[in-house]
Amino acid sequence: MRVSGAASGADSGARTQRALASIVLGFELIVVFLMGMTVFGLSITEPRELGIIGGIGLCVVIILALATMRRGKVGIWIGWVVHVLMLLSALVLPMALIVGVIFTALWVYCMVKGTRIDRDRAAWIAEQQ
């Protein structure tokens, strides 16, 4: 089974970090869509459809990050942009700040732990050879 961020062959340097990143972004994709529907349902924006358009727009950025996750650090950088946009969405829906902070904290944790796991794996492989 291959996870979106997993890699094989020569490009296996940061595969745990990318796998964890794709998991976080996958869950975030669902939540972002539901937040867009919430903004639409509460009629916070004028016209109402801006909530759906904004939610779908951020979903497209998340899908772009997931699609580029195997191409080096591009997907990771797009993921950082997603989290900045998530935090900025609190300007429209104040309760989105809680969701944005939780997902950003989870993202930072996965980036740190993923990097550490990948570094330890590379050291272990070098030690075995």
Side-chain angles (χ1 to χ4, degrees):
M1 177 171 71
R2 291 181 59 97
V3 179
S4 173
S8 60
D11 189 31
S12 61
R15 65 179 176 200
T16 304
Q17 182 186 39
R18 290 191 306 244
L20 292 173
S22 65
I23 292 167
V24 171
L25 288 175
F27 283 116
E28 196 166 2
L29 180 64
I30 298 165
V31 172
V32 165
F33 179 74
L34 293 174
M35 283 173 45
M37 296 300 289
T38 301
V39 171
F40 171 74
L42 293 175
S43 299
I44 294 174
T45 58
E46 186 59 42
R48 290 176 57 172
E49 292 77 19
L50 284 178
I52 293 177
I53 293 169
I56 291 175
L58 191 51
C59 285
V60 167
V61 176
I62 292 172
I63 291 170
L64 179 68
L66 288 170
T68 59
M69 199 60 68
R70 292 186 187 197
R71 290 169 177 68
K73 296 285 185 181
V74 175
I76 301 294
W77 285 107
I78 297 173
W80 282 108
V81 170
V82 165
H83 288 92
V84 168
L85 294 173
M86 276 290 292
L87 293 172
L88 288 175
S89 69
L91 297 173
V92 177
L93 184 65
M95 292 304 290
L97 182 62
I98 295 170
V99 176
V101 167
I102 290 170
F103 273 110
T104 303
L106 185 59
W107 177 261
V108 170
Y109 179 79
C110 288
M111 293 297 101
V112 171
K113 279 300 195 184
T115 301
R116 183 174 299 152
I117 291 169
D118 289 332
R119 186 179 55 234
D120 291 346
R121 178 188 294 121
W124 182 79
I125 289 172
E127 180 181 296
Q128 296 299 316
Q129 295 176 354

